[in-house]
Amino acid sequence: KKTGSSSDWLLVLVETNSSRANKLLARTTVLDRIKQDIGGKTPERCVAIMDPTKSDSKAAESMQTFLHKFRQFFLQSYNRTLNRFEELIRSEREKRNEPGWNFCNYFLLQEQLAFAYEIMGLHEEALVQYDELDALFTQFILNSSV
């Protein structure tokens, strides 16, 4: 695993009529066993979907539950990654007075963050990033001997 990389998982069990009737012990289902063996401290990451070819309410409800959890875990993961990226940018900004600091590298990092905000439709946040870049660039030009 690379430093700073993020990995998440979600285990999906598709239950058909035959697999639903398959119980390991008197009160233990396959999903319960998976949650116990694989889920460990995060059993909520193990989800069962009732036969998606059926059009009954249980199948629809299980699909809604799956979609909700998938969306939730995806957004959590994306948020963690975005927070790490913002922290990297903050640490690079704090080094701006050190010799050898490169404005171009910093510019590329903060511009990537602004672009990510634009893609998510957070245009005001993107503008904040560009305004910070503008202010830092002006300060960099005034303080340099160029």
Side-chain angles (χ1 to χ4, degrees):
K1 184 175 175 179
K2 294 191 302 188
T3 303
S5 67
S6 178
S7 65
D8 274 318
W9 59 275
L10 178 67
L11 193 137
V12 180
L13 171 68
V14 179
E15 291 185 350
T16 60
N17 287 335
S18 61
S19 67
R20 213 176 313 150
N22 184 12
K23 294 197 177 211
L24 298 175
L25 298 173
R27 293 186 178 160
T28 305
T29 64
V30 173
L31 181 63
D32 293 334
R33 185 65 186 194
I34 289 173
K35 284 181 177 182
Q36 185 179 25
D37 291 348
I38 298 173
K41 295 180 182 176
T42 55
E44 68 277 1
R45 291 188 173 270
C46 301
V47 180
I49 297 177
M50 301 304 169
D51 192 351
T53 60
K54 304 288 185 199
S55 59
D56 63 353
S57 63
K58 283 191 176 189
E61 183 181 329
S62 69
M63 184 57 78
Q64 287 298 322
T65 301
F66 164 70
L67 291 174
H68 174 74
K69 286 192 178 200
F70 180 80
R71 189 177 307 122
Q72 174 189 0
F73 293 137
F74 178 80
L75 290 174
Q76 285 175 355
S77 178
Y78 195 79
N79 193 33
R80 271 194 308 274
T81 302
L82 198 59
N83 287 339
R84 275 198 301 265
F85 195 61
E86 288 173 340
E87 186 57 40
L88 172 66
I89 290 171
R90 263 191 294 282
S91 70
E92 286 297 316
R93 185 183 315 122
E94 290 171 1
K95 296 176 186 175
R96 70 181 176 273
N97 294 324
E98 294 178 8
W101 185 78
N102 188 330
F103 178 79
C104 292
N105 290 339
Y106 176 78
F107 174 87
L108 291 174
L109 285 174
Q110 189 146 4
E111 200 274 334
Q112 287 174 1
L113 179 61
F115 187 66
Y117 283 136
E118 282 183 61
I119 289 172
M120 292 186 293
L122 301 171
H123 301 291
E124 293 297 320
E125 281 295 321
L127 284 174
V128 167
Q129 299 305 312
Y130 288 124
D131 286 343
E132 287 180 11
L133 273 175
D134 180 42
L136 191 60
F137 183 64
T138 302
Q139 179 188 15
F140 180 72
I141 294 298
L142 292 174
N143 291 343
S144 69
S145 59
V146 176

